[in-house]
Amino acid sequence: MPRKTLARALLAGSALLALAGGACADEQHFPLQSYRVGPYAAGGTGFFGGFIDYLTLINSRDGGVNGVKLTWSEGETQYEVERGVEVYERLKSRPGIAAWNPLSVGIAYAMIDRVTADQVPLITINHGRTDSTDGRVFPYVFPLLLNPYSETSGIIEYLATREGGLDKLRGKTIAVLYHGSPYGKETIPIYDLLAKQHGFKVEQIEVPHPGNEQQSQWLTIRRLKPDYVVLRGWGVMNPVALKTAQKTGFPANRIVGNVWSNSEEDVIPAGEAAKGYVAITTQASGAEYPVIQEIVRGVYDKGTGNLADKKRIGSVYHNLGVLNGILNVEAVRIAQDHFGKRTLTGDEVRWGFEHLRLDEARVAALGAKGLFHSINVTCANHEGEGRVTFQQWDGAKWQVVSDWLKPDWAALRPIIEASSAAYAKERGLTPRDCAAEERADASTAKRASADGR
Amino acid sequence: MNPDLTFFIEVVLGGLLSGVMYALVAIGFVLIYKTSGVLNFAQGAMVLFAALTFVSLVERGLPFPAALAATLAVMVAVGLTVERTVLRPLVNQPPITLFMATLGVAYVIEGASQLVWGAQVHALDLGIDDTPFDIAGVLVSRFDLFAAGIAGLMVAVLTLFFRYTRTGLAFRAVADDPLAALNAGLRLPRIWSAVWIASGIVALVAGLLWGARLGVQFSLSLVVLKALPVLVLGGFDSIAGAIVAGLIVGAAEKLAEVYLGPLIGSGIEGWIAYVAALAFLLIKPSGLFGLRSVERA
């Protein structure tokens, strides 16, 4: 090859490499450990569908986040831990990973050490380890909006509003029907603690996995004659609980479901038996919110929507996915404001999540007023003080029946810190000094502002 | 009536009615095992596929009888396909090979169900009110009584079929001794096809009743877990055994959960049936009504 031609070829090659590098530099990637087949596919298709729909909207409407395109890739897990870990190992080398969002307690537990070593945030919206709320010990894990203890407290606050105040719970009996798994058992001590604190009696009854037979549990409940039953279920356990409650004569409007018992998939199979059933949620369902309407117009009307069935737009899992998209995208945006408008590292996105403060005004500006309330994540508090509301199934759709309620975070924090301290001790970890980090951030911001002037 | 006694009766009755539902699934296993010696692990997947097909057709506007007929045709086709493409080529292979083959069939059917009909959950309304009625303070589920009636009817039909029809007698002959049956001129492949079709029909009945109880969703395939201790207890080759064992397992697990649960911890009914079945295996390995295999030296 003549020397000139070789030089040109090398030049062209370098240009292509630079272009390729440039393309990577303008992309922020979300690897998705989704589950679209298997026993939990209904939830998986809704959640990941909503998440992808929001990312698609940001790309098509805004050209990405400040020009940085959002990309994603999916790996099927069927909700199985080993598959989830395999997908993690397969996708973790993708450039520009922003965060992981597995929507699975088991997979999330298996990833904690890995994401901490790889310095990429792990988002466990509405689920995950309660003590990962303590960002001093779990810097890369974010149980955004609601951890299991806050959920428990939120449910008790709601029951108190129905009775006319927390003091009115004294002497009442609450039965908790929980799924026979680590997830189901996680709130046992908190219900016991709150029962002692507020003077009500609690009876906690286990339903063996998968929960397709509950006759004996509901007969026990019938004998107990509780004032309320809290359903901490998952999958098929939920409709079976509602149907068996009907069979044993327990009214649906006295059953309150937790955050994984609150979807259409939990009530539709129960038919008439679900009418009047109430469940906690961090995000309202329905398609009337501006952001959902934008998704309909900007994504589905252009044929790029992710849900196969458009009727599921605005369903509980779809809206949770959209909300998860909002929180991820805003964390990237906040981190970009700090580090620069470019592809960020996982650790930089972690910083973004730790400064994810969306007040009601910002939520409204994002088109999500009424969809969710607000979030205020800090270095020490990775949950972010999410508010909860309660919805009642009318036989066709969920209707919101409460205000946005605040769980009793102050009462829960010492228990969370005790648990995270035990974890830190067991692992030989030194908790971060969040106050020092925040001071350092403030002085950096001050310097940047002065430089700007 | 004494409230404790009323409660006890409710627990036992609820258990017996649940047991009938377990037996419904177990009968599908028995049919195949009785005639071919194969433990068909795909029975749960067939239950799921039948219910999902039926409910999806109804949701697409087909009237109930037409959807039922169409699903019946589909299940006949599934039974025939499994027998022709998987089991027949594996004739004379060791039982474990055949069992593994049905395990594979289970995964294929589960995957195909979601591929064809999607992953959504569905309500299945058979038009039977599930509000309980009160008999002297004991609440009884209308739906469970209806299901028990259907199961009883199915057992009666199957018993008459096995006793008084040529095909039924051929089934029994094959079950007793396949080689002798072959020598007597019975066509084994035809009989195996027929039994797989029958198993598909039983799966449809179980799918409709379980689907109306749980909703039609992937977890329907897990109802096999409830049928296994019933099979161990009743014997793998006895329809009557499946019913009696279903009643025993249903009542025992409810009584254990309600009365032993508070003492040793709740949530025991998932495994207590297996404990009972294991204990029974040690005493009578062929189950309550199963045929004891006798081999001459």
Side-chain angles (χ1 to χ4, degrees):
Chain A
M1 189 188 280
R3 197 171 282 178
K4 225 176 193 176
T5 316
L6 179 67
R8 275 183 194 151
L10 283 172
L11 202 66
S14 318
L16 272 174
L17 274 175
L19 269 176
C24 280
D26 290 339
E27 286 180 3
Q28 199 75 60
H29 191 71
F30 290 91
L32 304 177
Q33 294 144 299
S34 53
Y35 39 98
R36 293 178 180 274
V37 292
Y40 306 111
T45 49
F47 174 80
F48 291 102
F51 191 13
I52 291 172
D53 284 344
Y54 189 74
L55 300 182
T56 308
L57 175 72
I58 294 298
N59 280 340
S60 64
R61 187 190 66 190
D62 308 340
V65 182
N66 296 313
V68 177
K69 280 270 180 195
L70 304 174
T71 60
W72 57 91
S73 48
E74 287 189 72
E76 175 63 43
T77 70
Q78 292 193 28
Y79 199 75
E80 288 172 10
V81 175
E82 60 275 24
R83 285 178 199 249
V85 172
E86 185 270 320
V87 172
Y88 178 83
E89 293 299 333
R90 180 152 47 87
L91 299 181
K92 73 176 188 182
S93 54
R94 299 280 173 108
I97 290 181
W100 294 86
N101 293 267
L103 198 76
S104 155
V105 175
I107 296 173
Y109 267 63
M111 286 170 67
I112 290 176
D113 288 344
R114 289 175 169 84
V115 294
T116 306
D118 296 339
Q119 299 190 320
V120 183
L122 168 64
I123 311 307
T124 59
I125 187 167
N126 288 359
H127 67 288
R129 285 183 75 116
T130 302
D131 55 9
S132 66
T133 298
D134 190 349
R136 298 170 311 151
V137 176
F138 295 89
Y140 291 94
V141 188
F142 293 83
L144 294 181
L145 286 174
L146 193 67
N147 67 43
Y149 289 6
S150 300
E151 172 197 279
T152 305
S153 170
I155 289 172
I156 297 302
E157 294 285 333
Y158 168 69
L159 294 180
T161 63
R162 277 178 69 165
E163 290 295 325
L166 274 167
D167 57 318
K168 300 284 192 308
L169 287 179
R170 187 166 294 281
K172 301 280 179 201
T173 301
I174 298 171
V176 181
L177 197 63
Y178 64 90
H179 189 260
S181 63
Y183 144 75
K185 293 173 186 175
E186 176 138 16
T187 54
I188 289 175
I190 296 306
Y191 277 110
D192 286 338
L193 185 88
L194 293 177
K196 212 176 281 174
Q197 202 175 323
H198 300 299
F200 60 85
K201 189 180 166 201
V202 69
E203 293 284 347
Q204 310 212 46
I205 302 166
E206 181 175 332
V207 174
H209 173 79
N212 53 17
E213 183 57 44
Q214 297 174 32
Q215 187 79 10
S216 42
Q217 287 81 4
W218 282 94
L219 285 174
T220 304
I221 288 170
R222 184 164 136 75
R223 188 156 68 158
L224 279 172
K225 294 189 175 63
D227 297 282
Y228 296 99
V229 171
V230 174
L231 182 57
R232 187 168 169 75
W234 178 234
V236 71
M237 177 183 157
N238 295 320
V240 173
L242 295 170
K243 285 207 146 199
T244 320
Q246 185 189 46
K247 247 183 233 177
T248 51
F250 195 87
N253 64 2
R254 296 211 153 247
I255 307 173
V256 179
N258 84 323
V259 81
W260 299 113
S261 311
N262 73 354
S263 70
E264 290 79 2
E265 286 76 10
D266 298 312
V267 287
I268 287 172
E272 284 293 301
K275 252 188 193 173
Y277 166 64
V278 177
I280 191 173
T281 187
T282 53
Q283 81 293 339
S285 55
E288 64 268 34
Y289 309 101
V291 63
I292 306 293
Q293 283 303 309
E294 277 194 86
I295 285 173
V296 172
R297 285 192 303 273
V299 180
Y300 281 88
D301 287 354
K302 290 178 183 165
T304 52
N306 194 267
L307 292 178
D309 181 1
K310 274 199 207 179
K311 286 200 290 274
R312 297 181 68 201
I313 297 170
S315 63
V316 170
Y317 277 116
H318 185 251
N319 281 8
L320 180 63
V322 171
L323 172 54
N324 196 56
I326 292 174
L327 300 180
N328 275 269
V329 166
E330 289 311 298
V332 169
R333 197 186 306 281
I334 288 165
Q336 280 187 359
D337 289 345
H338 187 74
F339 296 106
K341 293 171 177 44
R342 56 169 170 79
T343 301
L344 304 167
T345 65
D347 196 44
E348 288 168 339
V349 179
R350 174 199 59 78
W351 189 95
F353 275 108
E354 287 194 340
H355 293 78
L356 183 60
R357 281 145 215 180
L358 308 177
D359 59 14
E360 287 177 81
R362 179 65 184 146
V363 168
L366 290 167
K369 185 179 169 63
L371 177 68
F372 82 108
H373 187 272
S374 59
I375 192 163
N376 182 25
V377 184
T378 64
C379 166
N381 182 348
H382 277 196
E383 180 196 35
E385 299 177 340
R387 304 281 183 93
V388 294
T389 188
F390 287 78
Q391 54 184 9
Q392 187 166 36
W393 183 248
D394 69 3
K397 59 181 185 304
W398 292 106
Q399 304 278 5
V400 172
V401 291
S402 81
D403 292 332
W404 291 100
L405 302 177
K406 281 199 279 188
D408 189 356
W409 298 303
L412 300 173
R413 185 70 193 184
I415 311 164
I416 291 169
E417 285 188 2
S419 176
S420 63
Y423 178 87
K425 194 176 169 194
E426 183 192 311
R427 298 298 183 99
L429 304 172
T430 308
R432 298 155 67 195
D433 183 347
C434 281
E437 285 187 32
E438 275 158 15
R439 276 197 303 276
D441 277 344
S443 67
T444 310
K446 215 169 174 183
R447 245 193 337 267
S449 164
D451 289 348
R453 274 202 301 277
Chain B
M1 207 190 293
N2 179 326
D4 286 342
L5 181 63
T6 309
F7 181 70
F8 177 79
I9 293 171
E10 259 180 8
V11 172
V12 173
L13 199 61
L16 293 175
L17 291 172
S18 294
V20 173
M21 295 293 289
Y22 307 161
L24 261 179
V25 184
I27 288 170
F29 281 91
V30 169
L31 280 176
I32 303 280
Y33 190 84
K34 207 172 158 62
T35 49
S36 57
V38 177
L39 179 67
N40 174 26
F41 199 80
Q43 192 64 27
M46 286 166 73
V47 169
L48 166 71
F49 187 65
L52 201 53
T53 303
F54 175 80
V55 81
S56 301
L57 292 175
V58 169
E59 284 176 0
R60 279 161 179 76
L62 237 64
F64 191 99
L68 192 64
T71 311
L72 199 63
V74 169
M75 290 315 293
V76 167
V78 168
L80 275 177
T81 309
V82 172
E83 196 278 326
R84 289 272 161 88
T85 59
V86 183
L87 275 303
R88 198 179 292 185
L90 291 175
V91 159
N92 292 332
Q93 296 299 318
I96 186 67
T97 307
L98 298 170
F99 173 73
M100 293 310 289
T102 66
L103 199 66
V105 169
Y107 279 100
V108 171
I109 294 177
E110 282 174 4
S113 302
Q114 291 201 328
L115 197 69
V116 176
W117 300 119
Q120 272 308 96
V121 298
H122 308 263
L124 175 54
D125 185 3
L126 297 179
I128 303 136
D129 186 16
D130 205 9
T131 49
F133 59 90
D134 193 322
I135 306 172
V138 177
L139 290 186
V140 182
S141 159
R142 283 173 215 272
F143 181 84
D144 286 356
L145 275 183
F146 171 78
I150 294 286
L153 188 68
M154 203 165 74
V155 170
V157 168
L158 285 172
T159 308
L160 291 174
F161 174 77
F162 277 107
R163 288 246 168 103
Y164 301 111
T165 67
R166 283 175 66 86
T167 317
L169 288 171
F171 277 13
R172 289 170 66 193
V174 172
D176 271 355
D177 189 336
L179 286 179
L182 198 61
N183 278 338
L186 293 175
R187 283 195 242 167
L188 286 187
R190 185 175 285 183
I191 288 165
W192 284 331
S193 296
V195 87
W196 273 89
I197 291 169
S199 172
I201 295 168
V202 172
L204 172 61
V205 175
L208 294 184
L209 292 173
W210 273 99
R213 220 171 181 236
L214 311 182
V216 178
Q217 51 188 306
F218 195 89
S219 304
L220 264 185
S221 63
L222 299 179
V223 298
V224 291
L225 298 177
K226 289 287 183 189
L228 290 180
V230 172
L231 288 167
V232 173
L233 201 61
F236 283 81
D237 51 7
S238 167
I239 290 172
I243 288 286
V244 174
L247 296 174
I248 293 172
V249 165
E253 66 177 24
K254 302 296 175 253
L255 287 169
E257 180 68 41
V258 171
Y259 292 103
L260 274 182
L263 303 175
I264 61 173
S266 59
I268 59 173
E269 74 173 304
W271 52 267
I272 206 85
Y274 284 90
V275 173
L278 278 173
F280 200 83
L281 258 187
L282 296 175
I283 302 162
K284 198 165 185 299
S286 54
L288 269 175
F289 295 88
L291 288 175
R292 255 179 77 185
S293 72
V294 179
E295 285 181 23
R296 293 199 181 90

